[in-house]
Amino acid sequence: MTDDTPDLRASDADRDRVAEVLRDALAEGRLDMAEFEERLDAAYAARTYGELAPLTRDLPAGAAAPKVPMTEEPAATGDWAGRITGGEGSSTWAVAVLSGFQRKGRWRVPKRFNCFAFWGGGEIDLREADFADREVVVNCVAIMGGMNVVVPPGVEVHVRGIGVMGGFDQGEEGVPGDPGAPRVIVTGFAFWGGVGVERKVTRAERQRLKEERRRERLERKEARKELDASVRDDVPDAHRWMPDGHRAMLDAHRDRRRGDRRERRPRGED
């Protein structure tokens, strides 16, 4: 936390960072439970950096806490925080001449990834990748060939490639990214070829969604079974009461017909 901007409003992510420092201090024995609970309550009630800073000032981790970024770039949050790692890319280029290439799975995307395909094709799959920077460039040159860039949901995409008797897919451009998610810029040149960009969930996420839908179907099936059982329980009661209702209706009908016959009799026959 920084003392330079004490009046700046704190975010949920800032409060969470302070809470993590306090948890570490509790685990190391630097705070007892009463102090931890008191500071944790104060952290989540804090509205500004000035209120957060004193909570970790006397803790070793508090001095090393990250300063507040004063730029327009949002800090990485959630799952993205662990995927923007910095450093160098694990692969910086790929070439396919009368062949193909793939970059997929768990790999680190460099700040600039260059790829070339001549009478061939390639796939650059970023769904499970880490990122060396919050903004990365995928430069694709396709000559009588094609390439496909696959990004996960939440990633912001910008397409700036040039096509001559070819093209770059811009269908995913303009889709807002998640806060703190990386930005992928797809650029390059396509001649008699094409570069596609698509957004897909990972296989694990697809399996999770499939399992979630399966559970929902089972829950609906169980609910229908319970409803059918309750209806079956109600049927005997309805049948038991039906004869009494029929008798009452027949009695009313008989009384009405008797009254009609009396009215039709000539006077003096009673």
Side-chain angles (χ1 to χ4, degrees), residues 45-116:
R47 296 184 178 182
T48 65
Y49 289 112
E51 294 172 353
L52 283 175
L55 301 177
T56 58
R57 186 172 291 147
D58 59 344
L59 301 174
K67 288 185 175 294
V68 181
M70 299 301 292
T71 66
E72 62 181 9
E73 298 290 344
T77 59
D79 294 338
W80 295 115
R83 294 181 62 179
I84 302 177
T85 60
E88 301 295 328
S90 56
S91 177
T92 58
W93 59 274
V95 174
V97 178
L98 299 174
S99 61
F101 70 82
Q102 279 188 331
R103 293 293 183 274
K104 62 189 302 185
R106 199 71 178 179
W107 65 295
R108 186 184 297 122
V109 185
K111 293 183 179 181
R112 184 178 181 88
F113 181 80
N114 296 302
C115 47
F116 174 80

Side-chain angles (χ1 to χ4, degrees), residues 25-181:
L26 176 66
E28 294 168 357
R30 301 179 189 277
L31 296 176
D32 60 29
M33 183 57 71
E35 290 175 310
F36 169 73
E37 292 178 350
E38 181 181 355
R39 295 194 189 196
L40 189 65
D41 291 341
Y44 283 114
R47 296 184 178 182
T48 65
Y49 289 112
E51 294 172 353
L52 283 175
L55 301 177
T56 58
R57 186 172 291 147
D58 59 344
L59 301 174
K67 288 185 175 294
V68 181
M70 299 301 292
T71 66
E72 62 181 9
E73 298 290 344
T77 59
D79 294 338
W80 295 115
R83 294 181 62 179
I84 302 177
T85 60
E88 301 295 328
S90 56
S91 177
T92 58
W93 59 274
V95 174
V97 178
L98 299 174
S99 61
F101 70 82
Q102 279 188 331
R103 293 293 183 274
K104 62 189 302 185
R106 199 71 178 179
W107 65 295
R108 186 184 297 122
V109 185
K111 293 183 179 181
R112 184 178 181 88
F113 181 80
N114 296 302
C115 47
F116 174 80
F118 175 72
W119 278 19
E123 181 181 26
I124 305 100
D125 191 335
L126 309 181
R127 288 178 292 175
E128 298 179 13
D130 293 330
F131 297 82
D133 196 75
R134 188 176 177 273
E135 181 174 288
V136 298
V137 176
V138 179
N139 183 50
C140 303
V141 177
I143 308 297
M144 292 181 286
M147 283 179 251
N148 196 41
V149 181
V150 184
V151 299
V155 168
E156 183 182 355
V157 178
H158 294 273
V159 181
R160 300 173 182 170
I162 298 173
V164 176
M165 291 183 286
F168 280 72
D169 183 5
Q170 298 187 353
E172 295 298 336
E173 188 170 23
V175 178
D178 291 342

